[in-house]
Amino acid sequence: MAEILVREIDETDLDRLRVRARARNISVEALAREAIQQAAKLTVEEKQALVRANWAKTDAARVPGAPQTPGWVLIREDRDSR
């Protein structure tokens, strides 16, 4: 796991975080970790951009003229054969 150091936090803000953390019976660090995780979540647009980028990579890897079977079809065939 990575670590970060946050400097110059206003005392009033830190006091509010302490009160919130105490009310939830967690540490200020855990509260900050939750805030960071929430802030780091991908937006819908970012997720869609990743999907489009992966589709482009898949299209670039296709062999022209060769039949291509989607992976989900192969997985379904394998599951149905059991």
Side-chain angles (χ1 to χ4, degrees):
M1 288 277 168
E3 296 180 22
I4 78 171
L5 173 66
V6 181
R7 299 177 194 271
E8 299 182 27
I9 298 173
D10 184 69
E11 276 300 322
T12 305
D13 293 338
L14 187 55
D15 288 340
R16 278 192 225 115
L17 288 175
R18 286 183 181 126
V19 169
R20 288 181 188 167
R22 200 173 302 123
R24 293 183 50 197
N25 200 29
I26 62 174
S27 67
V28 172
E29 180 181 344
L31 192 62
R33 193 178 304 113
E34 286 178 4
I36 290 168
Q37 288 170 343
Q38 186 64 33
K41 285 184 178 178
L42 294 174
T43 66
V44 172
E45 293 79 17
E46 290 169 329
K47 289 177 186 178
Q48 290 172 339
L50 286 172
V51 169
R52 282 191 293 276
N54 284 330
W55 282 345
K57 288 178 186 177
T58 300
D59 289 341
R62 293 187 190 277
V63 177
Q68 305 289 311
T69 305
W72 67 269
V73 172
L74 299 173
I75 292 169
R76 174 54 48 208
E77 288 175 356
D78 182 57
R79 288 180 181 165
D80 290 345
S81 71
R82 296 178 188 181

Coordinates of all heavy atoms in Angstrom, one line a residue:
M1 N 0.8 -1.2 0.0 CA 0.0 0.0 0.0 C 0.9 1.2 0.0 O 1.9 1.3 0.6 CB -0.9 0.0 1.3 CG -2.0 -0.9 1.3 SD -3.3 -0.2 0.3 CE -4.3 -1.6 0.2
A2 N 0.4 2.3 -0.6 CA 1.1 3.5 -0.7 C 0.7 4.4 0.5 O -0.3 4.2 1.2 CB 0.8 4.2 -2.0
E3 N 1.5 5.4 0.7 CA 1.3 6.4 1.8 C 1.4 7.8 1.2 O 2.1 8.0 0.2 CB 2.3 6.2 2.9 CG 2.3 4.9 3.6 CD 3.3 4.8 4.7 OE1 3.8 5.9 5.2 OE2 3.7 3.7 5.1
I4 N 0.6 8.7 1.8 CA 0.8 10.1 1.4 C 0.8 10.9 2.7 O 0.3 10.5 3.8 CB -0.3 10.6 0.5 CG1 -1.6 10.9 1.2 CG2 -0.6 9.7 -0.6 CD1 -2.6 11.6 0.3
L5 N 1.5 12.0 2.7 CA 1.5 13.0 3.8 C 0.8 14.3 3.3 O 1.2 14.8 2.3 CB 3.0 13.3 4.1 CG 3.3 14.3 5.2 CD1 2.7 13.9 6.5 CD2 4.7 14.6 5.3
V6 N -0.1 14.7 4.1 CA -0.9 15.9 3.8 C -0.4 17.0 4.8 O -0.6 16.8 6.0 CB -2.4 15.7 3.9 CG1 -3.1 16.9 3.6 CG2 -2.8 14.5 3.0
R7 N 0.1 18.0 4.3 CA 0.6 19.1 5.1 C -0.3 20.3 5.2 O -1.2 20.4 4.3 CB 2.0 19.6 4.6 CG 3.0 18.5 4.5 CD 4.3 19.1 3.9 NE 5.3 18.1 3.6 CZ 6.2 17.6 4.4 NH1 6.3 18.1 5.6 NH2 7.0 16.7 4.0
E8 N -0.1 21.1 6.1 CA -0.9 22.4 6.3 C -2.4 22.2 6.3 O -3.1 22.9 5.6 CB -0.4 23.4 5.2 CG 1.1 23.7 5.2 CD 1.5 24.7 4.2 OE1 0.6 25.5 3.8 OE2 2.7 24.7 3.8
I9 N -2.8 21.3 7.1 CA -4.3 21.1 7.3 C -4.7 22.1 8.4 O -4.1 22.2 9.5 CB -4.6 19.7 7.8 CG1 -4.2 18.7 6.7 CG2 -6.1 19.6 8.1 CD1 -4.4 17.3 7.0
D10 N -5.7 22.9 8.2 CA -6.2 23.8 9.1 C -6.7 23.1 10.4 O -7.4 22.1 10.3 CB -7.4 24.6 8.5 CG -7.9 25.7 9.4 OD1 -7.2 26.7 9.6 OD2 -9.0 25.5 9.9
E11 N -6.4 23.6 11.6 CA -6.7 23.0 12.8 C -8.2 22.8 13.0 O -8.7 21.8 13.5 CB -6.2 23.8 14.0 CG -4.7 23.5 14.4 CD -4.5 22.0 14.8 OE1 -5.4 21.4 15.5 OE2 -3.5 21.5 14.4
T12 N -9.0 23.8 12.5 CA -10.4 23.8 12.6 C -11.0 22.6 11.8 O -11.9 21.9 12.2 CB -11.1 25.1 12.1 OG1 -10.5 26.2 12.9 CG2 -12.6 25.1 12.3
D13 N -10.4 22.4 10.6 CA -10.8 21.3 9.7 C -10.5 20.0 10.4 O -11.3 19.0 10.4 CB -10.2 21.4 8.4 CG -10.6 22.6 7.6 OD1 -11.7 23.1 7.8 OD2 -9.9 23.0 6.6
L14 N -9.3 19.9 10.9 CA -8.9 18.7 11.6 C -9.8 18.4 12.8 O -10.1 17.2 13.1 CB -7.4 18.8 12.0 CG -6.8 17.5 12.5 CD1 -6.9 16.3 11.6 CD2 -5.3 17.7 12.9
D15 N -10.1 19.4 13.6 CA -11.0 19.2 14.7 C -12.4 18.6 14.2 O -12.9 17.7 14.9 CB -11.2 20.5 15.5 CG -10.0 20.9 16.3 OD1 -9.1 20.0 16.5 OD2 -9.9 22.1 16.6
R16 N -12.9 19.2 13.1 CA -14.2 18.7 12.6 C -14.0 17.2 12.2 O -14.9 16.4 12.4 CB -14.6 19.5 11.4 CG -15.3 20.8 11.8 CD -16.0 21.4 10.6 NE -15.7 22.8 10.7 CZ -15.0 23.5 9.8 NH1 -14.5 22.9 8.7 NH2 -14.8 24.8 10.0
L17 N -12.9 16.9 11.6 CA -12.7 15.5 11.2 C -12.6 14.6 12.4 O -13.1 13.5 12.4 CB -11.4 15.4 10.4 CG -11.4 15.9 8.9 CD1 -10.1 15.8 8.3 CD2 -12.5 15.2 8.1
R18 N -12.0 15.1 13.5 CA -11.9 14.3 14.7 C -13.3 14.0 15.3 O -13.6 12.9 15.7 CB -11.0 15.0 15.7 CG -9.5 14.9 15.4 CD -8.7 15.6 16.5 NE -7.3 15.6 16.1 CZ -6.5 16.6 16.1 NH1 -7.0 17.8 16.4 NH2 -5.2 16.5 15.8
V19 N -14.1 15.0 15.3 CA -15.5 14.9 15.8 C -16.2 13.8 14.9 O -16.9 12.9 15.4 CB -16.2 16.2 15.8 CG1 -17.7 16.0 16.1 CG2 -15.6 17.1 16.8
R20 N -16.2 14.0 13.6 CA -16.9 13.0 12.7 C -16.3 11.6 12.9 O -17.1 10.7 12.9 CB -16.7 13.5 11.3 CG -17.5 14.7 10.9 CD -17.3 15.0 9.5 NE -17.9 16.3 9.2 CZ -17.7 17.0 8.1 NH1 -16.9 16.6 7.2 NH2 -18.3 18.2 7.9
A21 N -15.0 11.5 13.0 CA -14.4 10.1 13.2 C -14.9 9.5 14.5 O -15.3 8.4 14.5 CB -12.9 10.2 13.1
R22 N -14.9 10.3 15.5 CA -15.3 9.8 16.9 C -16.7 9.4 16.8 O -17.1 8.4 17.4 CB -15.1 10.9 17.9 CG -15.0 10.4 19.3 CD -14.6 11.5 20.3 NE -13.3 12.1 20.0 CZ -13.1 13.4 19.8 NH1 -14.1 14.3 19.9 NH2 -11.9 13.8 19.5
A23 N -17.6 10.2 16.1 CA -19.0 9.8 16.0 C -19.2 8.5 15.3 O -20.2 7.8 15.6 CB -19.8 11.0 15.3
R24 N -18.3 8.2 14.4 CA -18.5 6.9 13.7 C -17.6 5.8 14.2 O -17.6 4.7 13.7 CB -18.1 7.1 12.2 CG -19.1 8.0 11.5 CD -18.7 8.2 10.0 NE -18.5 7.0 9.3 CZ -17.9 6.9 8.2 NH1 -17.5 7.9 7.5 NH2 -17.7 5.7 7.6
N25 N -16.9 6.1 15.3 CA -16.0 5.2 16.0 C -14.9 4.6 15.1 O -14.7 3.4 15.1 CB -16.9 4.0 16.6 CG -16.1 3.3 17.7 OD1 -15.3 3.9 18.4 ND2 -16.4 2.0 17.9
I26 N -14.4 5.6 14.3 CA -13.2 5.2 13.4 C -12.2 6.3 13.6 O -12.4 7.3 14.3 CB -13.6 5.1 11.9 CG1 -14.2 6.5 11.4 CG2 -14.7 4.0 11.7 CD1 -14.4 6.5 9.9
S27 N -11.0 6.0 13.1 CA -9.9 6.9 13.2 C -10.0 8.0 12.1 O -10.7 7.9 11.1 CB -8.6 6.2 13.0 OG -8.4 5.7 11.7
V28 N -9.3 9.1 12.4 CA -9.3 10.2 11.4 C -8.6 9.7 10.1 O -9.0 10.0 9.0 CB -8.5 11.4 11.9 CG1 -8.3 12.5 10.8 CG2 -9.3 12.1 13.1
E29 N -7.6 8.8 10.3 CA -6.9 8.2 9.1 C -7.9 7.4 8.3 O -7.9 7.5 7.0 CB -5.8 7.3 9.6 CG -5.0 6.7 8.4 CD -3.9 5.8 8.9 OE1 -3.5 5.9 10.1 OE2 -3.4 5.0 8.1
A30 N -8.8 6.6 8.9 CA -9.8 5.8 8.2 C -10.8 6.7 7.5 O -11.2 6.4 6.3 CB -10.5 4.9 9.2
L31 N -11.1 7.8 8.1 CA -12.1 8.8 7.5 C -11.4 9.4 6.3 O -12.0 9.5 5.2 CB -12.4 9.8 8.6 CG -13.6 10.8 8.2 CD1 -14.9 10.0 8.1 CD2 -13.7 11.8 9.3
A32 N -10.1 9.8 6.4 CA -9.4 10.4 5.3 C -9.3 9.3 4.2 O -9.4 9.7 3.0 CB -8.1 10.9 5.7
R33 N -9.0 8.1 4.5 CA -8.9 7.0 3.5 C -10.2 6.9 2.7 O -10.1 6.7 1.5 CB -8.5 5.7 4.2 CG -8.0 4.7 3.2 CD -7.6 3.4 4.0 NE -6.5 3.6 5.0 CZ -6.7 3.5 6.3 NH1 -7.9 3.1 6.8 NH2 -5.7 3.7 7.1
E34 N -11.3 6.9 3.4 CA -12.6 6.8 2.7 C -12.8 8.0 1.8 O -13.3 7.8 0.6 CB -13.7 6.8 3.8 CG -13.9 5.5 4.5 CD -15.0 5.6 5.6 OE1 -15.7 6.6 5.6 OE2 -15.2 4.6 6.3
A35 N -12.4 9.2 2.2 CA -12.6 10.3 1.3 C -11.7 10.2 0.1 O -12.1 10.6 -1.0 CB -12.2 11.6 2.1
I36 N -10.5 9.7 0.3 CA -9.6 9.5 -0.9 C -10.1 8.5 -1.8 O -10.1 8.7 -3.0 CB -8.1 9.2 -0.4 CG1 -7.5 10.4 0.3 CG2 -7.3 8.7 -1.5 CD1 -6.3 10.1 1.1
Q37 N -10.6 7.4 -1.3 CA -11.2 6.3 -2.1 C -12.4 6.9 -2.9 O -12.5 6.6 -4.1 CB -11.6 5.1 -1.3 CG -10.4 4.3 -0.8 CD -10.8 3.3 0.3 OE1 -11.9 3.3 0.8 NE2 -9.9 2.4 0.5
Q38 N -13.2 7.6 -2.3 CA -14.4 8.2 -3.0 C -13.9 9.2 -4.1 O -14.4 9.1 -5.2 CB -15.3 8.9 -2.0 CG -16.6 9.4 -2.5 CD -17.5 8.3 -3.0 OE1 -17.5 7.2 -2.5 NE2 -18.2 8.6 -4.1
A39 N -12.9 10.0 -3.8 CA -12.4 11.0 -4.8 C -11.7 10.3 -5.9 O -11.7 10.8 -7.0 CB -11.5 12.0 -4.1
A40 N -11.2 9.1 -5.7 CA -10.4 8.4 -6.8 C -11.3 7.6 -7.7 O -10.8 7.0 -8.7 CB -9.3 7.6 -6.1
K41 N -12.6 7.4 -7.3 CA -13.4 6.6 -8.2 C -13.5 7.2 -9.6 O -13.6 8.4 -9.7 CB -14.8 6.5 -7.6 CG -14.9 5.5 -6.4 CD -16.3 5.4 -5.9 CE -16.4 4.5 -4.7 NZ -17.7 4.3 -4.2
L42 N -13.6 6.3 -10.5 CA -13.8 6.7 -11.9 C -15.2 7.3 -12.2 O -16.1 6.7 -11.7 CB -13.5 5.6 -12.9 CG -12.1 5.0 -12.9 CD1 -12.0 3.8 -13.8 CD2 -11.1 6.1 -13.4
T43 N -15.2 8.3 -13.0 CA -16.6 8.8 -13.4 C -17.1 7.9 -14.5 O -16.3 7.1 -15.1 CB -16.4 10.2 -13.9 OG1 -15.6 10.2 -15.1 CG2 -15.8 11.2 -12.9
V44 N -18.3 8.1 -14.8 CA -18.9 7.3 -15.9 C -18.2 7.6 -17.2 O -17.8 6.6 -18.0 CB -20.4 7.6 -16.1 CG1 -21.0 7.0 -17.4 CG2 -21.2 7.2 -14.9
E45 N -17.8 8.8 -17.5 CA -17.1 9.2 -18.7 C -15.7 8.6 -18.7 O -15.3 8.1 -19.8 CB -17.0 10.7 -18.8 CG -18.3 11.5 -19.0 CD -19.1 11.6 -17.7 OE1 -18.5 11.5 -16.6 OE2 -20.3 11.9 -17.8
E46 N -15.0 8.5 -17.6 CA -13.7 7.9 -17.5 C -13.8 6.4 -17.8 O -13.0 5.8 -18.5 CB -13.1 8.1 -16.2 CG -12.6 9.6 -16.0 CD -12.2 9.9 -14.5 OE1 -12.8 9.2 -13.6 OE2 -11.4 10.7 -14.4
K47 N -14.8 5.7 -17.3 CA -15.0 4.3 -17.5 C -15.3 4.0 -19.0 O -14.8 3.1 -19.6 CB -16.2 3.8 -16.7 CG -15.9 3.7 -15.2 CD -17.1 3.2 -14.4 CE -16.9 3.3 -12.9 NZ -18.1 2.9 -12.1
Q48 N -16.2 4.9 -19.6 CA -16.5 4.7 -21.0 C -15.3 4.9 -21.9 O -15.1 4.2 -22.8 CB -17.6 5.7 -21.4 CG -18.9 5.4 -20.8 CD -20.0 6.4 -21.0 OE1 -19.7 7.6 -21.3 NE2 -21.3 6.0 -20.9
A49 N -14.4 5.9 -21.5 CA -13.2 6.1 -22.2 C -12.3 4.9 -22.2 O -11.6 4.5 -23.2 CB -12.5 7.4 -21.7
L50 N -12.2 4.3 -21.0 CA -11.4 3.1 -20.9 C -11.9 1.9 -21.7 O -11.1 1.2 -22.4 CB -11.3 2.6 -19.4 CG -10.4 3.4 -18.5 CD1 -10.6 3.0 -17.0 CD2 -9.0 3.3 -18.9
V51 N -13.2 1.8 -21.8 CA -13.8 0.7 -22.6 C -13.5 1.0 -24.1 O -13.1 0.1 -24.8 CB -15.4 0.6 -22.3 CG1 -16.0 -0.2 -23.4 CG2 -15.6 0.1 -20.9
R52 N -13.7 2.2 -24.5 CA -13.4 2.6 -25.9 C -12.0 2.3 -26.2 O -11.6 1.8 -27.3 CB -13.8 4.0 -26.2 CG -15.3 4.2 -26.4 CD -15.6 5.6 -26.9 NE -15.3 6.7 -26.0 CZ -16.1 7.1 -25.0 NH1 -17.3 6.5 -24.8 NH2 -15.7 8.1 -24.2
A53 N -11.1 2.6 -25.3 CA -9.6 2.4 -25.6 C -9.3 0.9 -25.7 O -8.6 0.5 -26.5 CB -8.8 3.0 -24.4
N54 N -10.0 0.1 -24.8 CA -9.8 -1.3 -24.9 C -10.4 -1.9 -26.2 O -9.8 -2.8 -26.8 CB -10.4 -2.0 -23.7 CG -9.5 -1.9 -22.5 OD1 -8.3 -1.7 -22.6 ND2 -10.1 -1.9 -21.3
W55 N -11.5 -1.4 -26.6 CA -12.1 -1.8 -27.9 C -11.2 -1.5 -29.0 O -11.0 -2.3 -30.0 CB -13.4 -1.2 -28.1 CG -14.6 -1.8 -27.4 CD1 -14.6 -3.0 -26.7 CD2 -15.9 -1.2 -27.2 NE1 -15.8 -3.1 -26.1 CE2 -16.6 -2.1 -26.4 CE3 -16.4 0.0 -27.6 CZ2 -17.9 -1.8 -26.0 CZ3 -17.7 0.3 -27.2 CH2 -18.5 -0.6 -26.4
A56 N -10.5 -0.3 -29.0 CA -9.6 0.1 -30.1 C -8.4 -0.9 -30.1 O -7.9 -1.3 -31.2 CB -9.2 1.5 -29.9
K57 N -7.9 -1.3 -28.9 CA -6.8 -2.2 -28.9 C -7.2 -3.6 -29.4 O -6.4 -4.2 -30.1 CB -6.3 -2.4 -27.4 CG -5.5 -1.2 -26.9 CD -5.1 -1.4 -25.5 CE -4.5 -0.1 -24.9 NZ -4.2 -0.3 -23.4
T58 N -8.4 -4.0 -29.1 CA -8.9 -5.3 -29.6 C -9.0 -5.2 -31.1 O -8.6 -6.2 -31.8 CB -10.3 -5.6 -28.9 OG1 -10.1 -5.7 -27.5 CG2 -10.8 -6.9 -29.5
D59 N -9.6 -4.1 -31.6 CA -9.7 -4.0 -33.1 C -8.4 -4.0 -33.8 O -8.2 -4.6 -34.8 CB -10.5 -2.7 -33.4 CG -12.0 -2.8 -33.1 OD1 -12.5 -4.0 -32.9 OD2 -12.6 -1.8 -33.0
A60 N -7.4 -3.4 -33.2 CA -6.0 -3.3 -33.7 C -5.4 -4.7 -33.8 O -4.5 -5.0 -34.6 CB -5.2 -2.3 -33.0
A61 N -5.8 -5.6 -32.8 CA -5.1 -6.9 -32.7 C -5.8 -7.9 -33.7 O -5.3 -9.0 -33.8 CB -5.2 -7.4 -31.3
R62 N -6.9 -7.5 -34.3 CA -7.6 -8.5 -35.2 C -6.7 -8.8 -36.4 O -6.1 -7.9 -36.9 CB -8.9 -7.9 -35.6 CG -9.9 -7.8 -34.5 CD -11.3 -7.4 -35.1 NE -12.2 -7.1 -34.0 CZ -12.9 -7.9 -33.3 NH1 -12.8 -9.2 -33.6 NH2 -13.7 -7.6 -32.3
V63 N -6.9 -10.0 -36.9 CA -6.2 -10.4 -38.1 C -7.1 -10.3 -39.3 O -8.2 -10.9 -39.3 CB -5.7 -11.9 -38.0 CG1 -5.0 -12.3 -39.3 CG2 -4.8 -12.0 -36.8
P64 N -6.8 -9.4 -40.2 CA -7.8 -9.2 -41.3 C -8.0 -10.5 -42.1 O -7.1 -11.2 -42.4 CB -7.0 -8.2 -42.2 CG -6.0 -7.5 -41.3 CD -5.6 -8.5 -40.3
G65 N -9.3 -10.7 -42.3 CA -9.7 -11.9 -43.1 C -9.8 -13.2 -42.3 O -10.4 -14.2 -42.8
A66 N -9.3 -13.2 -41.1 CA -9.4 -14.4 -40.2 C -10.7 -14.3 -39.4 O -11.0 -13.2 -38.8 CB -8.2 -14.5 -39.3
P67 N -11.4 -15.4 -39.2 CA -12.6 -15.4 -38.4 C -12.2 -15.2 -36.9 O -11.2 -15.7 -36.4 CB -13.2 -16.8 -38.6 CG -12.1 -17.6 -39.1 CD -11.1 -16.7 -39.8
Q68 N -13.0 -14.3 -36.3 CA -12.7 -14.0 -34.9 C -13.9 -14.4 -34.0 O -15.0 -14.0 -34.3 CB -12.5 -12.5 -34.7 CG -11.4 -11.9 -35.6 CD -10.0 -12.4 -35.2 OE1 -9.6 -12.3 -34.0 NE2 -9.2 -12.8 -36.1
T69 N -13.7 -15.2 -33.0 CA -14.7 -15.6 -32.1 C -14.6 -14.8 -30.8 O -13.6 -14.8 -30.2 CB -14.6 -17.1 -31.7 OG1 -14.6 -17.8 -33.0 CG2 -15.8 -17.5 -30.9
P70 N -15.7 -14.1 -30.4 CA -15.6 -13.3 -29.2 C -15.4 -14.2 -28.0 O -15.9 -15.3 -27.9 CB -17.0 -12.6 -29.1 CG -17.6 -12.7 -30.5 CD -17.0 -13.9 -31.1
G71 N -14.7 -13.7 -27.0 CA -14.3 -14.5 -25.8 C -15.5 -15.0 -25.1 O -15.6 -16.1 -24.6
W72 N -16.6 -14.2 -25.0 CA -17.8 -14.6 -24.3 C -18.4 -15.8 -24.9 O -19.0 -16.7 -24.2 CB -18.8 -13.5 -24.1 CG -19.4 -13.0 -25.4 CD1 -19.0 -12.0 -26.2 CD2 -20.6 -13.5 -26.0 NE1 -19.8 -11.9 -27.3 CE2 -20.8 -12.8 -27.2 CE3 -21.5 -14.6 -25.6 CZ2 -21.9 -13.1 -28.0 CZ3 -22.6 -14.8 -26.5 CH2 -22.8 -14.1 -27.6
V73 N -18.3 -16.0 -26.2 CA -18.9 -17.1 -26.9 C -18.1 -18.4 -26.5 O -18.6 -19.4 -26.2 CB -18.8 -16.9 -28.5 CG1 -19.2 -18.2 -29.2 CG2 -19.8 -15.8 -28.9
L74 N -16.7 -18.3 -26.5 CA -15.9 -19.4 -26.1 C -16.2 -19.8 -24.7 O -16.2 -21.0 -24.4 CB -14.4 -19.0 -26.3 CG -14.0 -18.7 -27.7 CD1 -12.6 -18.2 -27.8 CD2 -14.2 -19.9 -28.6
I75 N -16.3 -18.8 -23.8 CA -16.6 -19.1 -22.4 C -18.0 -19.9 -22.3 O -18.1 -20.9 -21.6 CB -16.6 -17.9 -21.5 CG1 -15.2 -17.3 -21.5 CG2 -17.2 -18.1 -20.1 CD1 -15.1 -15.9 -20.9
R76 N -19.0 -19.4 -23.0 CA -20.3 -20.0 -22.9 C -20.2 -21.4 -23.5 O -20.8 -22.3 -22.9 CB -21.3 -19.2 -23.8 CG -22.7 -19.7 -23.9 CD -23.4 -20.1 -22.7 NE -23.4 -19.1 -21.7 CZ -23.5 -19.4 -20.3 NH1 -23.6 -20.6 -19.9 NH2 -23.5 -18.4 -19.5
E77 N -19.5 -21.6 -24.6 CA -19.4 -23.0 -25.1 C -18.7 -23.9 -24.1 O -19.1 -25.1 -24.0 CB -18.6 -22.9 -26.5 CG -19.4 -22.4 -27.6 CD -18.5 -22.2 -28.9 OE1 -17.3 -22.5 -28.8 OE2 -19.1 -21.8 -29.9
D78 N -17.7 -23.4 -23.5 CA -17.0 -24.3 -22.5 C -17.9 -24.6 -21.3 O -18.0 -25.8 -20.9 CB -15.7 -23.5 -22.0 CG -15.0 -24.4 -21.0 OD1 -14.6 -25.5 -21.4 OD2 -14.8 -23.9 -19.9
R79 N -18.7 -23.6 -20.8 CA -19.6 -23.9 -19.7 C -20.7 -24.9 -20.1 O -21.1 -25.7 -19.3 CB -20.2 -22.6 -19.2 CG -19.2 -21.7 -18.5 CD -19.8 -20.4 -18.0 NE -18.8 -19.6 -17.3 CZ -19.0 -18.3 -17.0 NH1 -20.1 -17.7 -17.4 NH2 -18.1 -17.7 -16.4
D80 N -21.2 -24.7 -21.3 CA -22.3 -25.6 -21.8 C -21.8 -27.0 -22.0 O -22.6 -27.9 -22.0 CB -22.9 -25.0 -23.0 CG -23.7 -23.7 -22.8 OD1 -24.0 -23.5 -21.6 OD2 -24.0 -23.0 -23.7
S81 N -20.5 -27.2 -22.2 CA -20.0 -28.5 -22.5 C -19.8 -29.4 -21.3 O -19.5 -30.6 -21.3 CB -18.6 -28.4 -23.3 OG -17.6 -28.0 -22.4
R82 N -20.0 -28.8 -20.1 CA -19.8 -29.5 -18.8 C -21.0 -30.1 -18.3 O -22.1 -29.8 -18.5 CB -19.2 -28.6 -17.8 CG -17.8 -28.1 -18.2 CD -17.3 -27.2 -17.2 NE -16.1 -26.6 -17.7 CZ -15.3 -25.7 -17.1 NH1 -15.6 -25.3 -15.9 NH2 -14.2 -25.2 -17.6

